[in-house]
């Protein structure tokens, strides 16, 4: 599973409907892989920021290539890449620590 897949499933709560598309139950909408590219599209990355904000994460940025969500920091070549990297770091951090509790919160 790559970063985008992990973020779609574990943060946004989307379900894999087919090998090339997701289903968003909250919006009753199908999203194709090509329509969700958070590392390359800032609007897509901001969906992640919005969702993490709903879970109590505070988003801060330090320019165009560094972001923080509470105590998790990440960098990238662009702001959207930094957001994606930080979100994935949250997933990795909580996967090894109390994963059941976090996923109950996120999903």
């Amino acid at each position: 599973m790559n970063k985008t897949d992990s973020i779609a499933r574990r943060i946004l709560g989307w379900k894999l409907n087919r090998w090339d598309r997701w289903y968003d139950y909250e919006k009753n909408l199908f999203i194709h892989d090509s329509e969700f590219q958070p590392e390359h599209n800032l609007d897509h990355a901001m969906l992640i920021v919005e969702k993490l904000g709903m879970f109590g994460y505070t988003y801060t940025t330090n320019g165009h290539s560094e972001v923080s969500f509470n105590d998790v920091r990440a960098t990238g070549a662009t702001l959207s890449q930094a957001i994606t990297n930080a979100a994935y770091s949250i997933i990795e951090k909580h996967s090894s620590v109390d994963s059941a509790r976090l996923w109950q919160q996120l999903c």
Side-chain angles (χ1 to χ4, degrees), residues 4-5 16 19-22 31-37:
T4 303
D5 292 338
L16 191 61
W19 65 272
D20 65 340
R21 73 179 180 195
W22 300 95
I31 300 105
H32 289 272
D33 284 344
S34 62
E35 296 171 351
F36 182 64
Q37 299 295 320

Side-chain angles (χ1 to χ4, degrees), residues 65-103:
S65 61
E66 185 179 341
V67 300
S68 298
F69 288 102
N70 296 354
D71 61 337
V72 176
R73 293 197 128 142
T75 61
T78 62
L79 184 59
S80 57
Q81 195 174 58
I83 291 168
T84 304
N85 291 340
Y88 190 70
S89 292
I90 291 170
I91 291 169
E92 286 183 322
K93 178 180 176 182
H94 291 288
S95 290
S96 61
V97 180
D98 187 11
S99 62
R101 184 170 170 232
L102 174 73
W103 301 136

Side-chain angles (χ1 to χ4, degrees), residues 3-46:
K3 285 183 193 179
T4 303
D5 292 338
S6 294
I7 290 168
R9 286 183 186 192
R10 295 181 177 167
I11 293 177
L12 298 176
W14 297 349
K15 306 297 179 205
L16 191 61
N17 177 263
R18 236 176 36 187
W19 65 272
D20 65 340
R21 73 179 180 195
W22 300 95
Y23 184 70
D24 180 352
Y25 286 96
E26 292 177 357
K27 297 179 182 173
N28 197 27
L29 183 68
F30 290 100
I31 300 105
H32 289 272
D33 284 344
S34 62
E35 296 171 351
F36 182 64
Q37 299 295 320
E39 285 189 287
H40 306 291
N41 186 315
L42 187 57
D43 290 336
H44 298 173
M46 293 309 288

